[in-house]
Amino acid sequence: MTHSPKFLLIGSIEAYSGKSGTILGLGRQLQERGYAIAYAKPIGTDLNDNSSQNQDADVQFVTQVFGLKENQVCPPLLFLEKETIEKRLQGIDDTDYRKIFRSALLKIEADVVLLEGPGNLGEGSLFNLSFEELLQEITAKVILVARYNSPLIVDGLLKAKKELGAHLLGVVINDIPVSAIAEIETLIKPFLEQQGIPVLGALPQSDLLRSVSVRELAHQLKAKVLSSPDRLDLMVDSLTIGAMNVNSALEYFRKGENKAVVTGGDRTDLQLAALETSTSCLILTGNVLPQALIISRAEDLEIPILCVNLDTLKTVEIVDQAFGTVRLQESIKVDCIQQLMKDHFNFEDFLEKMALN
């Protein structure tokens, strides 16, 4: 490669805003236009349990999706784990991570390097890898991804504009409910653009992207899989708690589709009722195994049963947290985000601002 790559830092003002999804959508469009891309993530956040080495699951996944070579990937320099943080605080670790990061980037061969930034503008400061410090090391443009929650989304973006200045290429507003789309177009987008903050994309909410696979729930709950282990790729859109009498439960269960039902391992009546409706998985709490007839019926219907050593409250908390925050490591979600980015991201404007066309 005879020319230097262009660097694009993709960040957010809060974690789980959709950085990885934006990278997956943008990377695909760049590849389709013939640009060689690379991917770098200085701070690891998703340590892969199945690996003997310190590998970030996002990095492995993005590498695989885009078919990147070794000289097109810059893996994390560190993971934000308790031990790592304590060593830094105690002065045991005085590594110059900025210098290492810059050296790693010099080895990359690509037209565009997509850098996945920290969870927010301040994260990584302890290791000199915050947004501001990364931008001191490299000449990069920044796209900020913000998950829509209310019109006050503009507060965080205005503050970010003051901090990032001319580095800020534009923003992507993500996860917009149908009821707020008109407000984005007529109110928020014009206001931000008047403040010198281009809105490059406005992505509507997607039930599929907010859903979570049974496999991921099993992983997060540290569950035992009692039936249909080959059906763990089923997607869960909602959570239902079974704690009432069976007649009320049936009516309640029929309202939800592609749901996870959380109930006690000893509630055979509720388990049977749940299996007869649109259920993606049954989560049994209290480490109580169900009766054999439940496992048999679940096998017939190809519905996974997860048995967890947790109470109902903790189980519900973990599952609730998974919705909307789980990473995009399922091909069905990749297809979805790439289509959303094609439909709702101004790629031509992006190319022009990056001086790529």
Side-chain angles (χ1 to χ4, degrees), residues 138 246 293:
I138 53 169
V246 71
L293 72 100

Side-chain angles (χ1 to χ4, degrees), residues 222-340:
K222 298 180 173 58
K224 283 183 277 191
V225 180
L226 304 181
S227 66
S228 301
D230 57 332
R231 298 282 284 162
L232 299 183
D233 290 327
L234 287 171
M235 302 305 290
V236 177
D237 295 340
S238 62
L239 172 67
T240 301
I241 303 161
M244 64 287 283
N245 70 57
V246 71
N247 292 332
S248 305
L250 256 177
E251 193 178 333
Y252 183 45
F253 290 159
R254 284 185 187 127
K255 289 176 184 171
E257 291 195 6
N258 306 325
K259 62 187 176 296
V261 174
V262 177
T263 192
D266 55 349
R267 292 299 305 268
T268 305
D269 53 346
L270 292 180
Q271 293 159 21
L272 279 172
L275 290 173
E276 299 307 321
T277 61
S278 175
T279 298
S280 295
C281 74
L282 199 53
I283 303 173
L284 308 184
T285 59
N287 205 23
V288 178
L289 294 175
Q291 291 184 20
L293 72 100
I294 296 292
I295 295 177
S296 173
R297 185 64 180 143
E299 287 285 7
D300 290 345
L301 296 166
E302 298 187 314
I303 297 172
I305 296 176
L306 310 182
C307 182
V308 300
N309 190 17
L310 300 165
D311 61 27
T312 299
L313 194 63
K314 187 62 184 171
T315 302
V316 168
E317 189 183 311
I318 292 170
V319 175
D320 252 346
Q321 205 170 22
F323 288 115
T325 62
V326 76
R327 299 178 188 280
L328 299 176
Q329 288 158 16
E330 288 125 359
S331 58
I332 189 170
K333 287 190 177 184
V334 175
D335 294 343
C336 177
I337 190 63
Q338 288 179 339
Q339 191 59 51
L340 278 175

Side-chain angles (χ1 to χ4, degrees), residues 48-165:
N48 193 335
D49 295 343
N50 300 322
S51 176
S52 56
Q53 302 166 324
N54 278 0
Q55 290 181 308
D56 184 279
D58 278 350
V59 174
Q60 289 181 309
F61 187 68
V62 170
T63 301
Q64 179 192 333
V65 167
F66 292 134
L68 301 179
K69 300 171 190 162
E70 197 175 328
N71 63 358
Q72 293 174 323
V73 182
C74 181
L77 306 179
L78 60 98
F79 287 84
L80 292 181
E81 297 175 295
K82 188 172 184 286
E83 190 184 344
T84 308
I85 294 164
E86 284 176 356
K87 279 183 181 173
R88 191 70 168 184
L89 291 171
Q90 291 161 359
I92 298 167
D93 175 16
D94 59 358
T95 308
D96 187 345
Y97 287 105
R98 268 170 63 179
K99 188 177 176 184
I100 296 171
F101 182 59
R102 183 172 187 169
S103 300
L105 289 183
L106 290 174
K107 297 171 188 166
I108 283 182
E109 293 187 13
D111 300 317
V112 183
V113 181
L114 300 172
L115 288 158
E116 184 164 348
N120 56 53
L121 298 187
E123 189 175 274
S125 297
L126 178 61
F127 301 93
N128 307 115
L129 290 172
S130 69
F131 249 77
E132 185 185 346
E133 288 157 319
L134 292 175
L135 291 171
Q136 285 169 7
E137 286 301 314
I138 53 169
T139 303
K141 289 293 186 185
V142 176
I143 286 180
L144 284 182
V145 187
R147 187 184 288 275
Y148 183 82
N149 40 41
S150 82
L152 284 174
I153 189 177
V154 299
D155 267 354
L157 295 175
L158 288 170
K159 184 173 185 292
K161 169 67 176 171
K162 284 178 188 168
E163 290 181 33
L164 297 169

